[in-house]
Amino acid sequence: MMSQRQGLLLVMSGPSGVGKTSIVHGMLARLGAAFSVSATTRQQTAQERDGEDYFFISNDEFQRWINEDRFLEYAQVFGRSWYGTPREPVEGQLASGKIVVLDIDVQGAAQVRTAMPNAFGVFILPPSEDELFRRLKERGRDDEDAISRRFAEARKEIAIAQGSGVYDAFVVNDNLDRAISEVESLVRKRLSAIPK
């Protein structure tokens, strides 16, 4: 039986090291939400499954999808690989009343807001710049230069997000459980405002 209520597109963004991925997983579990699988032109790793982690497609196919307006948003990352959110699966899940979560950057969120003005945007903030720098260091994934680059990029991304008008809410992740609960509460409030 089809749901009487239109679903909700939840757009989640935030800089590296802010805990966004953990919050997204919390939303999937608590709200029974669906995660939007992106398409990419980058090489598939041995651990990844096509159609589950990403849709792995060629550059030519990606360009064809752009020409056919099959993406809600897309971008080239670091001048190399392309990433995009396929439109059809998102629209299908929304039509069946699902909450669909997109984990994308500010540029992608702005494209989605244009394509789907009713999307609900949440940007995750660190408690402070010092704490963000500490988290980036503690991840142990990067050398000092890469950490400094990520930190500078994160500061820029936060400034752009705050001035963009794309996001409906900003949530500070000073405690993971509290941040997940806050995002869940915001989403439930937005859902309750959608006409049945």
Side-chain angles (χ1 to χ4, degrees):
M1 183 171 139
M2 290 290 284
S3 169
Q4 295 295 309
R5 189 196 300 252
Q6 174 72 12
L8 177 68
L9 184 58
L10 173 59
V11 176
M12 303 266 317
S13 305
S16 290
V18 82
K20 174 182 42 121
T21 302
S22 298
I23 294 171
V24 165
H25 286 297
M27 291 305 95
L28 298 179
R30 290 193 186 188
L31 297 169
F35 185 72
S36 172
V37 178
S38 296
T40 184
T41 60
R42 78 159 170 77
Q43 287 295 308
Q44 181 177 353
T45 67
Q47 296 79 30
E48 292 172 323
R49 292 201 175 121
D50 187 37
E52 248 177 69
D53 297 294
Y54 288 96
F55 296 107
F56 294 95
I57 62 177
S58 68
N59 280 304
D60 288 345
E61 190 171 4
F62 199 99
Q63 189 58 55
R64 190 165 58 250
W65 286 24
I66 292 172
N67 296 341
E68 294 170 356
D69 194 30
R70 291 176 63 180
F71 289 115
L72 285 175
E73 59 85 27
Y74 61 89
Q76 191 174 28
V77 178
F78 301 123
R80 294 193 303 264
S81 301
W82 288 87
Y83 291 82
T85 301
R87 180 185 297 274
E88 191 178 332
V90 171
E91 289 177 344
Q93 290 172 315
L94 291 174
S96 69
K98 291 284 280 184
I99 299 168
V100 182
V101 182
L102 298 186
D103 177 351
I104 55 179
D105 65 12
V106 177
Q107 178 188 348
Q111 290 180 49
V112 170
R113 179 65 85 182
T114 300
M116 294 190 152
N118 292 329
F120 187 63
V122 178
F123 192 90
I124 306 301
L125 292 166
S128 67
E129 288 188 355
D130 288 347
E131 175 62 13
L132 178 61
F133 190 77
R134 188 189 66 75
R135 289 180 189 179
L136 286 169
K137 282 186 78 159
E138 277 192 356
R139 293 195 316 179
R141 297 183 197 169
D142 301 307
D143 61 25
E144 289 293 327
D145 284 348
I147 290 167
S148 294
R149 275 196 313 274
R150 284 188 185 277
F151 181 64
E153 186 62 38
R155 291 180 69 200
K156 191 167 85 176
E157 189 177 353
I158 289 167
I160 292 169
Q162 290 175 325
S164 69
V166 168
Y167 297 96
D168 299 284
F170 290 83
V171 173
V172 175
N173 182 14
D174 52 359
N175 173 282
L176 183 60
D177 287 338
R178 192 204 58 75
I180 290 171
S181 294
E182 185 175 345
V183 175
E184 178 188 10
S185 175
L186 288 164
V187 170
R188 291 192 186 282
K189 184 175 177 186
R190 179 63 172 255
L191 281 171
S192 69
I194 297 174
K196 291 187 179 177

